[in-house]
Amino acid sequence: MNLSKVFTKAIISSPERQLEADADLAVVKQVQAGDVAAFDQLIVKYRERVFGVVYNLTANREDASDLTQDAFIKAFQSINRFQGSCSFFTWLYRIAVNTTLSHLRKNRLRSFFSLEKLQEDGVNTQVLEQLTDKKGADRDTYLQELKEKLNEAMQKLSIPHRTVITLFEIDGLSHSEIAEVMGCSEGTVRSRLHYAKQFLQGELGKYLRS
Amino acid sequence: MPELNQRPKVTVEDLLHLKRAERPDVEFWTKFERELRQKQLTALMEKRPWWQELPRFLTRRAYLPVGASAVLAFTLVSVKYYAPAPLAQVELSPTAVPVAPGRDLPAPVAPVSSPLVNRSESAVAQSEDDSAASSAQTASQAPDEAVELMPLLVAPRAAEKPSARLLAANLSRMEPVDADFSSRLSTPAREQITAAAEELASIPTNTTRRNRLLARYEGRQLNPEPAPPEVVRQRLARRLGDIESDRGSRLAREIDTFSTPMPQIVALRF
């Protein structure tokens, strides 16, 4: 699947996103007019989201950092070509995904996972408690192992399935928004999502029966 | 304390939601910004290849002059290659100008010793006499004088053969009508004409065929003038009569065929 076309359509189905798109367009106009410093606003605003998408596709922190920086640099270099036909974040998404896909094609055999530090203050502690009864260091070790298994399982998915599950479960987009972004029907999104969940359930089943 | 088997199950979705919490710390973003700045400065310093500059060049509204230049270049190339070439000015060489004896060509002529002249000289030397030699000498004269090729070739024969004489006369008559005719008349064509003149001379006297051949080279109509209507009608009537007589004789033959005894034929069939 050509993911370069995946994120071409704007995710502007909700009013919040429309407001976000309008605000981004105003900043882009400033940058195109010559106010280069205005581009930093866009970097600060979107770096975490772009990093999250790239990290979930690569499962490697260092690669995700480099690829996110490359995506922003490419966006800055071609900012004059942005005409506003889609939202800025969609356009930035496309650059980031294309950069990541090129990297993945070149490094197909490489599978090194570097996991992010899990910030427990933002995590559902109830879920963590349900995952294991272990306490202290054993719990941390168990959680670390679980994260590795999850990343391994996600890397076994194909890129379209991985993209769908990332956008839905991690980024929180709706089925219609994902369909608009990926250029497919909602039925396709649902079927891919269902298959991806079934696959991950099979891969991680024993870890979920604790 | 709830029992283990009564604990709600953790689903894949729950695990995936945990990934939302996976975010780098502040130090990571500090390092990220520093590296991004370095990469931005490096990108500004490095020289981009010319093919990467093309999209930027085109977005600067340069497409209009570029397009106009492309259209202009295409027009010039197409005119150059597809326009009809001007008629090449044929050099008015002594060999190229057939002129009647005694006539002066208006255009200046370059001195040439062409194969045709040589051939004519050799042809003349084979068959003829002083008039040819003097004409050959005339052919090698100054540029302003036109060398009379056709007379050179024809004049010796003209004295002998009436057909060739007639051909030469017609050519000289055509010259004032079409001043460029002689210049356009190519050497091979002239050779053909001379060969035809020789052929005519060799043909035994046969007025009808001879006239036809002459007409071919003189440009006269081959077909005789249209006959008056009465003559045409007589011819048609004669022809129709012939057709009918043929048909009648054929019919008579068929009748004779069928007048043979039928029983024999029937017996043969059955």
Side-chain angles (χ1 to χ4, degrees), chain A residues 40 47 69 133 151 169, chain B residues 7 17 19 33 35 37:
Chain A
D40 292 341
R47 63 186 184 186
Q69 291 166 12
D133 293 331
N151 285 331
E169 296 292 348
Chain B
R7 194 175 303 164
H17 291 167
K19 291 183 73 64
E33 285 177 10
E35 289 175 355
R37 284 278 178 252

Side-chain angles (χ1 to χ4, degrees), chain A residues 40 47-48 51 55-56 61 68-70 73 77 116 118-119 123 130 133 146-147 150-151 165 169-170 197 201 208, chain B residues 4 7-8 10 12-13 15-25 28-29 32-33 35-37 39-40 43 59:
Chain A
D40 292 341
R47 63 186 184 186
E48 287 191 15
F51 178 82
Y55 174 71
N56 285 304
R61 179 177 174 172
T68 305
Q69 291 166 12
D70 292 341
I73 288 171
Q77 286 176 337
E116 291 298 327
L118 190 63
Q119 307 243 347
V123 172
Q130 290 170 355
D133 293 331
L146 188 61
K147 280 165 58 179
L150 179 58
N151 285 331
I165 201 122
E169 296 292 348
I170 302 175
K197 287 181 181 177
Q201 186 73 33
L208 302 175
Chain B
L4 289 177
R7 194 175 303 164
V10 176
V12 171
E13 289 83 352
L15 282 181
L16 290 170
H17 291 167
L18 288 179
K19 291 183 73 64
R20 291 179 183 176
E22 289 181 359
R23 59 176 71 91
D25 52 9
F28 171 83
W29 291 118
F32 178 88
E33 285 177 10
E35 289 175 355
L36 181 59
R37 284 278 178 252
K39 285 187 179 180
Q40 280 179 328
T59 54

Side-chain angles (χ1 to χ4, degrees), chain B residues 56-66:
Chain B
R56 197 195 297 179
F57 175 72
L58 290 176
T59 54
R60 286 181 186 169
R61 297 186 180 180
Y63 60 86
L64 189 58
V66 168

Side-chain angles (χ1 to χ4, degrees), chain B residues 168-184:
Chain B
N170 284 329
L171 283 170
S172 61
R173 215 183 321 133
M174 283 176 68
E175 190 193 0
V177 175
D178 187 356
D180 290 334
F181 171 77
S182 58
S183 64
R184 288 184 203 154

Side-chain angles (χ1 to χ4, degrees), chain A:
Chain A
M1 185 189 72
N2 186 5
L3 274 183
S4 62
K5 297 180 184 174
V6 165
F7 301 109
T8 53
K9 293 193 179 178
I11 313 169
I12 50 174
S13 58
S14 62
E16 296 82 16
R17 294 203 187 273
Q18 183 63 47
L19 287 173
E20 184 182 55
D22 292 340
D24 293 341
L25 187 60
V27 177
V28 169
K29 295 290 184 190
Q30 289 181 20
V31 178
Q32 289 174 342
D35 185 7
V36 178
F39 192 75
D40 292 341
Q41 301 176 27
L42 298 170
I43 293 175
V44 172
K45 184 177 179 182
Y46 289 115
R47 63 186 184 186
E48 287 191 15
R49 293 175 70 176
V50 174
F51 178 82
V53 171
V54 176
Y55 174 71
N56 285 304
L57 289 175
T58 60
N60 184 288
R61 179 177 174 172
E62 297 303 323
D63 289 345
S65 173
D66 291 337
L67 293 169
T68 305
Q69 291 166 12
D70 292 341
F72 278 112
I73 288 171
K74 287 181 183 177
F76 179 72
Q77 286 176 337
S78 55
I79 193 72
N80 286 325
R81 275 184 275 163
F82 178 73
Q83 302 296 329
S85 57
C86 59
S87 67
F88 174 77
F89 181 64
T90 304
W91 183 70
L92 184 62
Y93 241 91
R94 178 172 57 187
I95 294 172
V97 168
N98 285 338
T99 307
T100 306
L101 289 179
S102 301
H103 171 80
L104 288 175
R105 282 191 213 108
K106 288 178 190 174
N107 300 281
R108 227 172 255 181
L109 299 178
R110 181 179 167 192
S111 58
F112 172 72
F113 304 119
S114 66
L115 304 173
E116 291 298 327
K117 179 182 176 183
L118 190 63
Q119 307 243 347
E120 292 196 14
D121 52 345
V123 172
N124 191 343
T125 52
Q126 190 176 7
V127 173
L128 286 176
E129 288 176 358
Q130 290 170 355
L131 277 172
T132 180
D133 293 331
K134 298 174 185 177
K135 303 287 182 187
D138 291 339
R139 182 171 173 236
D140 291 341
T141 305
Y142 180 80
L143 288 175
Q144 191 73 10
E145 183 184 348
L146 188 61
K147 280 165 58 179
E148 286 178 7
K149 292 300 177 185
L150 179 58
N151 285 331
E152 282 178 14
M154 284 192 67
Q155 289 299 308
K156 289 179 183 177
L157 285 170
S158 68
I159 292 178
H161 292 94
R162 201 185 316 162
T163 307
V164 169
I165 201 122
T166 300
L167 292 176
F168 185 78
E169 296 292 348
I170 302 175
D171 282 2
L173 299 180
S174 66
H175 291 134
S176 60
E177 287 173 335
I178 296 172
E180 190 177 352
V181 166
M182 297 186 73
C184 60
S185 63
E186 283 191 39
T188 305
V189 172
R190 291 175 200 275
S191 67
R192 284 178 181 170
L193 198 57
H194 176 72
Y195 173 82
K197 287 181 181 177
Q198 290 286 324
F199 180 83
L200 291 175
Q201 186 73 33
E203 290 287 313
L204 303 171
K206 63 177 182 180
Y207 295 94
L208 302 175
R209 290 191 206 112
S210 58

Side-chain angles (χ1 to χ4, degrees), chain B residues 169-212:
Chain B
N170 284 329
L171 283 170
S172 61
R173 215 183 321 133
M174 283 176 68
E175 190 193 0
V177 175
D178 187 356
D180 290 334
F181 171 77
S182 58
S183 64
R184 288 184 203 154
L185 201 59
S186 63
T187 302
R190 193 164 300 113
E191 287 181 353
Q192 286 180 3
I193 291 171
T194 56
E198 291 174 8
E199 182 187 350
L200 284 172
S202 64
I203 292 171
T205 306
N206 184 347
T207 305
T208 306
R209 188 183 173 203
R210 191 157 157 270
N211 287 342
R212 275 206 305 277

